[in-house]
Amino acid sequence: MKSSAVPLPIENVDTDQIIPARFLKATERKGFGDNLFRDWRYNPDNTPKKDFVLNNPIYSGKILVGGKNFGSGSSREHAAWAIYDYGFRCVVSSFFADIFKGNSLNVGILPVQVSPMFLDSIFKAIEKDPKTELEVNLPDQTITIVATGEKESFGINSYKKHNMTNGFDDIDYLQAMSADIKGYAAASPY
Amino acid sequence: MSNTPRTLFDKVWDAHVVRQIEDGPSILFIDRHFIHEVTSPVAFLGLQQRGIGVMFPDRTFATADHNTPTINQHLPVQDPFSANQLKALETNSSKYGISHWGLGNPKNGIVHVVGPENGITLPGMTIVCGDSHTSTHGAFGAIAFGIGTSEVEMVLASQCIMQPKAKKMRIAVDGKIGKGVTPKDVILYIIAKISASGATGYFVEYAGSVFENMSMEGRMTVCNMSIEMGARGGMIAPDETTFNYINGREKAPKGADWDKALAYWKTLKTDEGASFDVELKYDAADIEPMITYGTNPGMGMGISNKIPVAEALGGGQASFEKSLQYMGFQKEDSLIGKKVDYVFIGSCTNGRIEDFRAFASIVKGRKKADNVTAWIVPGSHIVEQQIKEEGILDILTEAGFQLRQPGCSACLAMNDDKIPAGKYAVSTSNRNFEGRQGPGSRTLLASPLVAAAAAVTGVVTDPRDLM
């Protein structure tokens, strides 16, 4: 994946900011992108806040770059759905909250954890040129700032990598081992 | 392996691994699964699309809590979207044969309150729910954590979850707890020390005399907020306090089953010499009643202190200042004497009987401050009943307070219980994020004692001055 990126250099971006609770009332996974960062993006009268990055047309792309401890707080997968539905396929940060990281992988967003220094380099590169492209290579597990060639590798376990690359699904895997699961359950004291 | 000293977390985890994927997650069997109306509908939709069912419906329990009104629960729910979610929970539970405690059911209440009080939560279990505060159940020596909706679907389909094993952290607090210091203050103190991300990637065991001497309600408050420092979950080794709490509850084992369970539960403690990736120790004497001043739970301080400067915390200057600006505070401000508009007592953090006892202990003989709107929300109908039976309701009524009906309420403000923009709320809940309690709301997290002191004085007040 090669794309320009949207910078959000704020720490501790929690899932209540990504999608406020009042927008969690749907019973289907539809339309969450409209309310992504709702209260940072819109005024109470629903007019866009001009100074928020998603309302600034010079920034665009499939990659969202956030400050450290991105996705903290509530387990709501709706946060990952909103990011995906808006059009992002990758989130870069120096540190992700655990549940958000798992949810992202489960909905098809790649969380890329980089060093604080590399994150800073990305923010600086985007500040210099908002159209700066990042190249994320899942097979090689690397992220590159295309203009400068700065590169860093990131971690992902090989099971998840295999699933993401091939479009496989955890539930298919678990269904295939249902005999083992039933065997375990039969012996469980609970 | 049996000779290697193991932690409590290792023992419970290892006992639930059905399969270990090489360079991948463990496949962990889940003993109990709680569901609620907000994070389950899309999971059931997924099952339908796959054409598969629920593998073990008797291991899943449904309760409506996140999106329910806290007044007039006997009337139809006004908001059509909320009503639709509640209906979906009822329909899905009935379709798949899952126990459902919906609105109006005498067992209804907040999922992390009703699970333990009905004996569903037991030591040594694995417990998940599509809610990050599932960590609450770790108070019983269970591995309990929040999951996303894809994982809810996974558990419904297979009773298993895929998780990499977390690293291990032990946090010990020893010493004598001071006057006016509650379990909420202990956990807010720990989070303030290590930050809102200080335990990310870890499962925490709480140890030491402070937790050993704590009630189950208090332990639940502590484990509940483990997620607020980023931990996957928190747990406390089960002991006599735990066993006494469980014994006799509706779904707890009985007779010979009890004896057998008890013998196993007594083995659930960290062995001497077992190793942790990180060990932290604190002295209880250093903890005073806490209050938060910012927009994440790590931004807390002793109530008599002044808001620190960002540099002293080593955090990002811009995010810190953005936070104070949102709150309308300046660095080096004291919060004592700041006007309070709302007080909320309730939630899965502080919605249990002990919390209302503490609240009432300050309120007794005093009156609600005129400038304060107070929302007093029990965690369940069972707690509501206890409040009435113990005479707490009389104390509250005499002081000018009203008791509402159970639910998550203003903790996440999905229902109508929203703090208006710009208003200050002293809240016993768990999150002070921007807009968490309603768009533009400003939350000061604190204990039931601090909440009560604010409710009767109308300003932030040190509860020790009223004790």
Side-chain angles (χ1 to χ4, degrees):
Chain A
M1 184 201 309
K2 201 189 219 181
S3 169
S4 55
V6 176
L8 193 61
I10 299 170
E11 294 176 6
N12 303 309
V13 173
D14 61 75
T15 53
D16 275 80
Q17 307 316 314
I18 299 173
I19 182 97
R22 63 188 190 281
F23 300 110
L24 306 183
K25 297 191 181 191
T27 51
E28 291 176 277
R29 188 185 150 177
K30 272 187 193 158
F32 286 101
D34 294 343
N35 295 314
L36 175 66
F37 293 115
R38 181 77 205 189
D39 294 333
W40 284 354
R41 201 169 141 199
Y42 296 102
N43 292 305
D45 65 0
N46 296 326
T47 54
K49 289 186 180 176
K50 288 207 173 60
D51 58 350
F52 187 61
V53 68
L54 291 189
N55 295 324
N56 188 340
I58 66 167
Y59 299 107
S60 64
K62 291 185 172 177
I63 301 172
L64 177 65
V65 187
K68 80 166 185 194
N69 198 24
F70 191 90
S72 57
S74 158
S75 64
R76 59 189 70 165
E77 194 167 302
H78 312 65
W81 298 341
I83 290 171
Y84 187 95
D85 191 46
Y86 185 87
F88 294 114
R89 292 296 178 268
C90 173
V91 183
V92 180
S93 176
S94 58
F95 201 78
F96 290 97
D98 282 337
I99 304 180
F100 176 81
K101 194 175 188 176
N103 286 344
S104 295
L105 288 164
N106 284 336
V107 308
I109 298 167
L110 182 65
V112 173
Q113 185 166 331
V114 296
S115 67
M117 271 172 60
F118 195 80
L119 185 70
D120 201 42
S121 298
I122 296 176
F123 283 134
K124 283 194 175 124
I126 299 175
E127 198 180 328
K128 199 170 158 197
D129 174 13
K131 294 293 165 208
T132 285
E133 285 193 309
L134 302 177
E135 185 170 4
V136 178
N137 185 320
L138 178 58
D140 291 350
Q141 296 180 216
T142 57
I143 175 166
T144 308
I145 304 172
V146 176
T148 63
E150 286 169 273
K151 188 191 248 189
E152 200 170 87
S153 52
F154 61 87
I156 178 171
N157 71 56
S158 57
Y159 167 82
K160 272 291 176 196
K161 180 176 168 180
H162 183 71
N163 275 10
M164 276 203 112
T165 314
N166 297 289
F168 292 168
D169 179 278
D170 290 343
I171 294 183
D172 297 336
Y173 185 104
L174 291 164
Q175 290 266 295
M177 58 176 283
S178 68
D180 286 4
I181 297 170
K182 285 177 178 157
Y184 179 93
S188 164
Y190 299 106
Chain B
M1 185 162 129
S2 58
N3 293 328
T4 313
R6 289 189 299 162
T7 67
L8 166 63
F9 173 69
D10 290 328
K11 289 179 184 180
V12 180
W13 182 277
D14 295 349
H16 288 86
V17 176
V18 181
R19 182 184 291 177
Q20 179 62 48
I21 301 177
E22 203 179 324
D23 190 25
S26 305
I27 295 175
L28 208 61
F29 188 82
I30 298 302
D31 295 311
R32 295 288 180 270
H33 181 208
F34 293 105
I35 58 173
H36 61 82
E37 73 275 24
V38 176
T39 57
S40 69
V42 173
F44 283 108
L45 213 56
L47 293 183
Q48 280 167 33
Q49 283 159 357
R50 290 171 194 269
I52 57 176
V54 175
M55 195 183 238
F56 293 109
D58 56 347
R59 290 178 181 272
T60 293
F61 297 82
T63 185
D65 58 4
H66 276 60
N67 202 356
T68 54
T70 54
I71 48 166
N72 294 324
Q73 289 187 349
H74 61 290
L75 298 177
V77 174
Q78 294 287 319
D79 177 353
F81 295 101
S82 302
N84 192 35
Q85 277 194 333
L86 294 169
K87 185 73 194 160
L89 185 69
E90 186 182 349
T91 309
N92 287 324
S93 299
S94 146
K95 179 175 171 187
Y96 293 100
I98 293 166
S99 152
H100 172 242
W101 294 337
L103 208 54
N105 187 302
K107 298 281 179 62
N108 175 257
I110 303 174
V111 55
H112 310 308
V113 176
V114 302
E117 76 186 1
N118 288 285
I120 299 171
T121 301
L122 299 174
M125 280 182 165
T126 46
I127 300 173
V128 296
C129 172
D131 185 281
S132 58
H133 294 110
T134 307
S135 57
T136 309
H137 306 264
F140 292 79
I143 287 181
F145 53 88
I147 57 175
T149 296
S150 294
E151 293 168 309
V152 172
E153 183 183 344
M154 204 182 292
V155 177
L156 291 169
S158 70
Q159 206 58 42
C160 286
I161 202 158
M162 292 191 180
Q163 286 280 320
K165 191 174 179 182
K167 289 181 284 185
K168 293 168 284 185
M169 179 186 289
R170 178 159 60 186
I171 299 177
V173 185
D174 284 287
K176 194 170 178 293
I177 280 283
K179 181 181 167 188
V181 175
T182 70
K184 180 66 163 288
D185 302 301
V186 174
I187 188 65
L188 282 174
Y189 176 84
I190 293 170
I191 301 169
K193 282 280 175 199
I194 72 171
S195 92
S197 59
T200 303
Y202 292 87
F203 223 95
V204 174
E205 180 177 342
Y206 300 97
S209 62
V210 165
F211 304 110
E212 285 161 15
N213 297 329
M214 215 176 250
S215 67
M216 286 315 296
E217 285 83 356
R219 293 178 189 183
M220 284 190 254
T221 299
V222 169
C223 288
N224 172 278
M225 289 195 71
S226 303
I227 183 72
E228 307 311 336
M229 50 189 176
R232 205 71 185 84
M235 61 202 304
I236 294 173
D239 59 10
E240 288 304 319
T241 305
T242 322
F243 310 143
N244 290 337
Y245 178 97
I246 297 168
N247 196 0
R249 292 192 185 256
E250 186 184 324
K251 293 187 187 295
K254 308 277 186 319
D257 288 341
W258 171 262
D259 297 337
K260 198 175 157 196
L262 197 61
Y264 173 54
W265 295 345
K266 286 181 174 172
T267 69
L268 296 176
K269 53 188 163 200
T270 292
D271 298 328
E272 191 84 31
S275 73
F276 290 83
D277 298 285
V278 173
E279 295 226 42
L280 301 173
K281 287 187 196 314
Y282 298 106
D283 184 348
D286 294 337
I287 308 175
E288 64 166 338
M290 297 286 294
I291 193 158
T292 66
Y293 55 85
T295 56
N296 72 61
M299 299 174 81
M301 62 180 185
I303 195 162
S304 68
N305 290 352
K306 289 181 172 157
I307 295 175
V309 292
E311 294 82 8
L313 298 173
Q317 182 77 22
S319 300
F320 186 82
E321 279 174 10
K322 179 178 185 294
S323 182
L324 288 193
Q325 193 180 4
Y326 179 87
M327 292 301 294
F329 294 148
Q330 308 282 332
K331 53 191 176 184
E332 299 187 76
D333 270 1
S334 164
L335 292 188
I336 295 282
K338 291 266 185 202
K339 189 166 155 282
V340 172
D341 307 295
Y342 284 77
V343 168
F344 170 58
I345 170 163
S347 85
C348 58
T349 310
N350 282 124
R352 299 182 182 81
I353 187 61
E354 276 199 358
D355 303 315
F356 296 95
R357 286 180 194 143
F359 189 85
S361 72
I362 297 272
V363 161
K364 192 171 185 178
R366 297 190 170 92
K367 295 282 180 203
K368 183 182 84 64
D370 290 338
N371 62 304
V372 167
T373 302
W375 289 333
I376 300 179
V377 186
S380 70
H381 282 299
I382 291 178
V383 174
E384 182 185 20
Q385 197 56 36
Q386 284 173 296
I387 289 172
K388 290 175 181 168
E389 284 168 9
E390 293 187 13
I392 294 171
L393 181 59
D394 298 331
I395 295 170
L396 295 174
T397 308
E398 204 157 301
F401 294 97
Q402 284 167 339
L403 186 65
R404 297 172 82 92
Q405 290 170 299
C408 297
S409 182
C411 174
L412 84 166
M414 255 191 101
N415 68 357
D416 292 337
D417 305 345
K418 290 179 173 63
I419 311 294
K423 299 291 183 191
Y424 290 97
V426 173
S427 177
T428 68
S429 53
N430 41 58
R431 288 189 175 133
N432 50 357
F433 299 152
E434 283 184 32
R436 169 77 177 185
Q437 298 195 282
S441 61
R442 291 158 158 174
T443 301
L444 310 175
L445 297 177
S447 74
L449 291 178
V450 173
V456 296
T457 60
V459 295
V460 174
T461 299
D462 190 329
R464 292 170 294 190
D465 296 344
L466 305 181
M467 292 169 79

